[in-house]
Amino acid sequence: MRAFLQIVAYPLEQYSTMLAKPIQSYRPYWAKRFGPAPVLPMSRAEMDALGWDSCDIILVTGDAYIDHPSFGMALVGRLLEAQGFRVGIIAQPDWQNANAFKALGKPNLYFGVTAGNMDSMVNRYTADRKIRSDDAYTPDAAANKRPDRAVLVYSQRCREAYSDVPLVIGSIEASLRRIAHYDYWSDKVRRSILVDSKADILLYGNAERALVELTHRIAKGEKVADIQDIRGTAFLRKRIPEGWSEIESTKLDRPGAVEKHVDPYEMKMGKADASCATDDSKPKTDLPDGAKAIEIVRKPKADRTKQVVRLPSYEEVANDPVLYAHASRVLHLEANPGNARALVQRHADREVWLNPPPIPLTTKEMDYVYDMPYARKPHPAYKNAKIPAWEMIRFSVNIMRGCFGGCTFCSITEHEGRIIQSRSEASILKEVEEIRDKVEGFTGVISDLGGPTANMYRIACKSESIEKNCRKLSCVYPGICENLQTDHSALIQLYRKARAIKGVKKILIGSGVRYDLAVKSPEYVKELVQHHVGGYLKIAPEHSEENVLSKMMKPGMDAYDEFKAMFEKFSAEAGKKQYLIPYFIAAHPGTTDEDMLNLALWLKKYDFKLDQVQTFTPTPMAMATAMYHSGKNPLRKVTADSENVPIPKAGNVRKLHKAFIRYHDPNNWPMLREALIRMGRPDLIGAGKHCLIPAWQPLSNKPVTTIRGEQLERTVRPRRVEGKKRKFS
């Protein structure tokens, strides 16, 4: 029996990631004799130079091919190469016809299709649905090098090129569209991407474990349609197999607030049961004479490995926003690999089946993935073209993946999971040395040691048993869980060893710091502030108002104030003048005009004048997207009568909310004056210190310039008209 089947056969209390077959333990495919390629081939000429007559797997991607572990196709390609397979890359093909998809010939095993590191719609469109003028993942940032909904288009072209070749889809675009999902760009609920792409199987989340097993089984002759027992996969089937018990999601969800974790080792005294009887070995009862007790026979606990949770069908969620929000809530509650069950959602006459999430990689497996012989540069075919995404990360190191924050507007947890997967210290330090020795242009500065967050490295639940039974959506909201160990000592030690490497002058931290976690370790904050900040440190409070933060599942401003005090204290001790760069979101579900006004007043109070503002974009599967579409709060049980959430959807409202954050920009003053008058706050218009904006308008209307979004701002002075300022009432 395969290792996967052994995993699901054990009860939860015996469940261990050690039962999953290590990805480095598979017997290599015969083609391993060719050895690793300098870079994975993108042409037949390169295949000929390697001595290949064909590719076993061809990966199609919407990004330029950069042979670096921060880019999905390179990581996946090198992983499959290490397993012995010949892997070719078709990067950013011309999708107008199938010719580009025949460039490497017919793959022996399958096509693997991905949109790239980003969702293609997020990549191509702004939050206001306008087409972007550049693409950071394309040579020279050229726009329009990938289609809308790239996974669908690429899949269709692969089928046209070779209709009999199995089709495997993955990446964040496919992962977050694995069930019926709200699509912001068409403003409707779309079907699972499995249905529309006509793919044979979908790999979601961190897919290395599923990918390796799937590929070896296909190579041994198994048909993709018969491979239905791998975690982290989704596929179509006609009916529920025999032996499975089905649970309606509407009967599964429980109302009420998140409860405190129960310690499974804690014994609490309660009423004595029959085994505690002391006389005649019979239980004591208060029954009257002649009455008989009815024996209660409890059913044995159901085998969760044979339970499937039925979500409302595509047709139901497409027509009922409340059911959509409910389905989103249940999906998130069934996301812990330790206790998640399979999910199924009907689409017409077919069932979209989701196996439970993948087992997280161990540290040894993470090292195996990141220690591949990456060239650490773009493919030579791009010559001297500048690829912005590569320029940004070329001197950075990814030390972990996953996030247990659970922020509702973010899809990291939905894609990578909330269990942190960390590399070993030795593997990370080795990569720093490789950057020093191999990457052209290295000046001694490592731009980042991080990941989805800067400071979750090796942080986990104190109890493996509690972690595997937990169903909370976040480990740090509404407060940091008492079962979460917050020790930053491993990260502190890593920082110190990394900056001690010969040839390394500075280690900067570019990933966002989870400040509510950081304040639990003042030693970490001191280490960070005094050695790893280059004058500015970005953090993300996202908002100042509690009712908005509660919809984001973000901490209140008390945690920000505590971190700010530490930051300033340790900066002063080091004799450095350093600044915090806070990030905020405009137009998030749950936000009112008054909330944005209060945020603007908070920014003015602390003299923040920010250039970069993020307007909320509803991305598939995010809980905030369910709020946006339904007007309901899926953080609690969702019914027709449950909490209504105000949604700033209209374009002029979204622009106003963004304008409040950029209150210092004269271009926004006319809109803000009109809004303040409408809101009954004309007292905030004028020259007083308490005022948000002035009553005059500069004729030029040129935006205020700032330095990196900080308060080092040049003042825009009014121009005079006939000796007087232009005034507005």
Side-chain angles (χ1 to χ4, degrees):
M1 186 176 288
R2 294 186 176 274
F4 168 79
L5 298 180
Q6 294 175 7
I7 292 170
V8 298
Y10 277 76
L12 287 175
E13 60 268 19
Q14 298 181 35
Y15 171 92
S16 171
T17 56
M18 296 304 293
L19 293 174
K21 184 173 181 178
I23 60 175
Q24 67 270 38
S25 66
Y26 287 79
R27 182 178 180 179
Y29 192 58
W30 69 266
K32 189 174 179 65
R33 67 187 65 174
F34 288 100
V39 290
L40 301 178
M42 296 205 325
S43 67
R44 288 304 298 257
E46 291 174 76
M47 290 170 57
D48 293 340
L50 294 170
W52 297 4
D53 61 344
S54 61
C55 289
D56 300 310
I57 300 145
I58 295 178
L59 303 176
V60 182
T61 176
D63 293 340
Y65 168 39
I66 300 170
D67 199 49
H68 185 281
S70 290
F71 296 85
M73 280 303 92
L75 187 148
V76 167
R78 289 297 190 181
L79 172 64
L80 291 171
E81 179 189 59
Q83 298 289 322
F85 300 101
R86 293 167 294 177
V87 183
I89 301 283
I90 297 179
Q92 297 188 318
D94 178 2
W95 67 90
Q96 303 302 325
N97 57 63
N99 292 337
F101 296 79
K102 299 177 181 178
L104 302 182
K106 183 178 180 179
N108 301 322
L109 300 181
Y110 62 82
F111 274 113
V113 173
T114 165
N117 272 23
M118 287 182 66
D119 183 284
S120 62
M121 301 302 286
V122 175
N123 180 282
R124 291 201 70 219
Y125 294 88
T126 69
D128 297 322
R129 299 188 180 99
K130 296 179 180 178
I131 294 180
R132 298 184 190 274
S133 58
D134 57 5
D135 183 340
Y137 291 87
T138 300
D140 293 325
N144 302 315
K145 290 296 183 179
R146 74 184 79 214
D148 289 355
R149 302 183 178 86
V151 169
L152 297 182
V153 177
Y154 292 160
S155 296
Q156 181 179 353
R157 295 295 177 263
C158 287
R159 288 294 195 208
E160 291 175 8
Y162 302 105
S163 60
D164 58 335
V165 173
L167 184 59
V168 180
I169 60 174
S171 78
I172 193 165
E173 177 164 311
S175 182
L176 299 184
R177 289 170 165 80
R178 55 189 183 261
I179 64 168
H181 54 280
Y182 173 74
D183 183 81
Y184 170 65
W185 298 272
S186 59
D187 192 25
K188 67 178 183 180
V189 175
R190 293 178 65 94
R191 299 184 297 184
S192 165
I193 198 169
L194 258 173
V195 177
D196 290 338
S197 68
K198 298 179 174 60
D200 293 289
I201 195 168
L202 182 155
L203 308 187
Y204 70 86
N206 294 316
E208 290 95 341
R209 196 180 300 287
L211 183 69
V212 169
E213 180 173 353
L214 176 72
T215 307
H216 280 287
R217 289 172 67 172
I218 294 175
K220 289 178 180 178
E222 286 191 58
K223 294 182 179 179
V224 180
D226 296 333
I227 302 175
Q228 299 182 343
D229 60 350
I230 301 178
R231 297 182 72 114
T233 62
F235 45 87
L236 295 172
R237 61 187 354 160
K238 285 289 186 180
R239 62 187 66 84
I240 305 298
E242 291 185 10
W244 286 78
S245 60
E246 187 176 315
I247 305 172
E248 291 288 341
S249 64
T250 51
K251 298 178 181 178
L252 180 67
D253 193 16
R254 295 288 184 268
V258 175
E259 296 180 355
K260 177 183 176 181
H261 285 299
V262 176
D263 186 341
Y265 303 105
E266 181 181 3
M267 298 296 292
K268 292 187 177 181
M269 297 301 294
K271 293 182 178 180
D273 60 19
S275 64
C276 300
T278 58
D279 58 319
D280 299 331
S281 299
K282 294 181 180 179
K284 294 181 179 180
T285 66
D286 296 324
L287 294 175
D289 294 339
K292 293 184 178 181
I294 299 175
E295 183 180 3
I296 298 176
V297 180
R298 297 186 181 276
K299 292 182 179 180
K301 288 186 177 180
D303 181 2
R304 293 174 67 90
T305 66
K306 287 294 184 179
Q307 287 181 337
V308 59
V309 177
R310 176 168 292 283
L311 300 174
S313 69
Y314 159 70
E315 290 78 12
E316 290 175 312
V317 299
N319 294 317
D320 188 341
V322 172
L323 277 180
Y324 179 90
H326 160 79
S328 174
R329 173 174 167 79
V330 173
L331 178 77
H332 286 79
L333 290 174
E334 295 290 335
N336 183 346
N339 60 49
R341 288 163 284 199
L343 301 174
V344 66
Q345 184 179 55
R346 180 168 286 279
H347 286 58
D349 62 342
R350 288 174 291 179
E351 305 278 14
V352 174
W353 183 282
L354 275 64
N355 277 331
I359 304 300
L361 297 185
T362 63
T363 295
K364 286 185 178 180
E365 290 173 315
M366 285 284 285
D367 289 352
Y368 173 72
V369 169
Y370 283 89
D371 289 347
M372 299 291 176
Y374 300 100
R376 308 193 71 83
K377 59 184 178 181
H379 190 280
Y382 302 124
K383 298 181 180 178
N384 296 321
K386 298 292 185 182
I387 305 176
W390 159 242
E391 299 296 330
M392 182 176 69
I393 60 89
R394 65 191 301 185
F395 304 124
S396 69
V397 180
N398 196 336
I399 65 175
M400 48 74 68
R401 64 167 64 149
C403 179
F404 48 70
C407 301
T408 62
F409 52 82
C410 179
S411 299
I412 292 173
T413 302
E414 286 86 345
H415 183 58
E416 296 191 4
R418 66 182 182 128
I419 296 175
I420 303 304
Q421 301 160 76
S422 302
R423 297 170 61 186
S424 71
E425 185 181 88
S427 174
I428 295 166
L429 298 178
K430 177 185 174 184
E431 184 170 349
V432 172
E433 292 174 342
E434 286 190 351
I435 292 174
R436 177 197 63 192
D437 299 338
K438 297 180 180 180
V439 180
E440 184 179 350
F442 181 65
T443 60
V445 179
I446 297 294
S447 60
D448 190 23
L449 290 181
T453 56
N455 59 317
M456 289 186 182
Y457 180 70
R458 291 194 179 179
I459 291 182
C461 189
K462 296 175 182 176
S463 165
E464 184 177 343
S465 176
I466 290 177
E467 179 181 73
K468 294 185 188 313
N469 286 279
C470 180
R471 294 172 68 81
K472 288 184 67 175
L473 300 175
S474 171
C475 299
V476 289
Y477 183 85
I480 294 177
C481 178
E482 61 185 17
N483 294 305
L484 184 70
Q485 65 86 3
T486 58
D487 182 14
H488 284 61
S489 59
L491 189 54
I492 294 170
Q493 177 176 286
L494 175 64
Y495 286 177
R496 290 172 178 170
K497 289 187 177 182
R499 69 171 184 262
I501 292 175
K502 184 178 179 181
V504 174
K505 300 175 183 177
K506 184 81 172 178
I507 301 281
L508 297 174
I509 303 303
S511 300
V513 174
R514 185 80 194 200
Y515 55 85
D516 54 338
L517 197 61
V519 297
K520 298 296 181 182
S521 177
E523 183 184 5
Y524 169 74
V525 179
K526 182 176 182 179
E527 188 78 14
L528 172 72
V529 171
Q530 297 189 347
H531 297 283
H532 302 283
V533 176
Y536 299 90
L537 179 68
K538 62 181 182 182
I539 58 174
E542 310 296 5
H543 216 281
S544 62
E545 303 306 292
E546 183 59 36
N547 63 302
V548 181
L549 292 170
S550 69
K551 304 302 185 296
M552 298 177 171
M553 286 214 302
K554 290 286 288 185
M557 296 305 287
D558 290 345
Y560 168 83
D561 292 337
E562 185 177 359
F563 181 81
K564 182 173 181 290
M566 286 187 180
F567 181 88
E568 292 173 347
K569 173 188 174 184
F570 294 133
S571 293
E573 287 180 3
K576 297 181 178 180
K577 191 172 183 180
Q578 301 183 135
Y579 302 93
L580 286 177
I581 306 295
Y583 283 77
F584 297 92
I585 295 180
H588 189 277
T591 310
T592 64
D593 294 354
E594 287 73 18
D595 292 325
M596 294 308 300
L597 170 58
N598 290 336
L599 173 56
L601 293 173
W602 184 91
L603 291 170
K604 181 176 175 62
K605 176 182 177 181
Y606 292 102
D607 200 23
F608 281 117
K609 299 179 177 66
L610 309 178
D611 279 335
Q612 296 181 344
V613 178
Q614 179 182 355
T615 304
F616 172 71
T617 301
T619 53
M621 199 175 286
M623 294 199 80
T625 300
M627 292 185 203
Y628 179 91
H629 175 58
S630 68
K632 295 292 183 180
N633 183 3
L635 300 179
R636 301 184 178 91
K637 183 173 181 179
V638 180
T639 67
D641 300 324
S642 62
E643 177 189 3
N644 291 314
V645 178
I647 309 296
K649 281 190 176 182
N652 59 336
V653 176
R654 289 167 66 85
K655 289 179 181 178
L656 174 63
H657 285 198
K658 184 176 181 179
F660 269 121
I661 297 181
R662 287 185 48 77
Y663 68 93
H664 55 282
D665 184 348
N667 288 316
N668 293 326
W669 292 349
M671 181 189 302
L672 291 176
R673 289 191 197 98
E674 181 180 341
L676 290 172
I677 293 171
R678 174 174 49 79
M679 296 166 67
R681 296 303 307 271
D683 56 300
L684 296 177
I685 304 171
K689 289 184 178 181
H690 71 284
C691 293
L692 181 66
I693 56 174
W696 51 266
Q697 188 76 17
L699 290 179
S700 64
N701 269 13
K702 290 182 180 179
V704 177
T705 58
T706 62
I707 299 178
R708 289 198 182 184
E710 255 299 340
Q711 60 264 51
L712 311 176
E713 179 197 6
R714 154 178 86 79
T715 302
V716 174
R717 300 197 178 278
R719 297 188 178 184
R720 294 181 178 275
V721 180
E722 296 180 356
K724 295 182 179 181
K725 298 177 183 177
R726 296 176 62 191
K727 291 187 177 181
F728 295 80
S729 58

